[in-house]
């Protein structure tokens, strides 16, 4: 995830190109990597997905998540399916 693209954008481009391999997503520090994996697997079924917690999640991405979280009321931030933190 960056200001320009995220894993969903990469997955979409791979799908368009007919990619049939395995997309590995850097998940170290992600609040809810399995939620992201489930959503990507649901929308992009032509390849395998792997979340790797040993690959660091960028500080830019963590900042973007924290910024997005502010737009949710506190009770929504605690929902595990959103992957946000209070």
């Amino acid at each position: 995830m960056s200001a320009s693209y995220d894993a969903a954008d990469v997955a979409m481009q791979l799908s368009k190109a007919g990619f049939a391999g395995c997309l590995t997503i850097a998940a170290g520090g992600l609040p809810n990597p399995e939620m992201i994996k489930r959503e990507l697997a649901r929308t992009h079924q032509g390849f395998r997905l792997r979340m790797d917690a040993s690959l660091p999640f960028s500080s830019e991405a963590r900042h973007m998540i924290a910024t997005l979280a502010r737009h949710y009321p506190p009770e929504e931030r605690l929902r595990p399916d959103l992957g946000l933190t209070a």
Side-chain angles (χ1 to χ4, degrees):
M1 184 169 166
S2 76
S4 306
Y5 64 91
D6 64 11
D9 296 317
V10 173
M12 182 175 62
Q13 292 302 318
L14 290 172
S15 289
K16 286 181 182 178
F19 180 72
C22 180
L23 171 61
T24 300
I25 299 169
L30 276 174
N32 193 340
E34 286 305 310
M35 178 196 67
I36 295 166
K37 183 178 180 181
R38 282 191 308 271
E39 181 61 25
L40 291 174
R42 184 180 64 79
T43 56
H44 303 286
Q45 298 174 3
F47 50 85
R48 294 181 326 280
L49 293 163
R50 183 173 77 92
M51 307 300 278
D52 189 336
S54 70
L55 297 172
F57 195 59
S58 74
S59 59
E60 178 186 12
R62 280 193 293 278
H63 174 72
M64 289 174 67
I65 288 172
T67 301
L68 290 170
R70 287 186 221 136
H71 297 282
Y72 288 88
E75 64 277 7
E76 288 290 305
R77 289 184 218 153
L78 298 176
R79 284 180 41 197
D81 59 315
L82 289 177
L84 304 173
T85 58

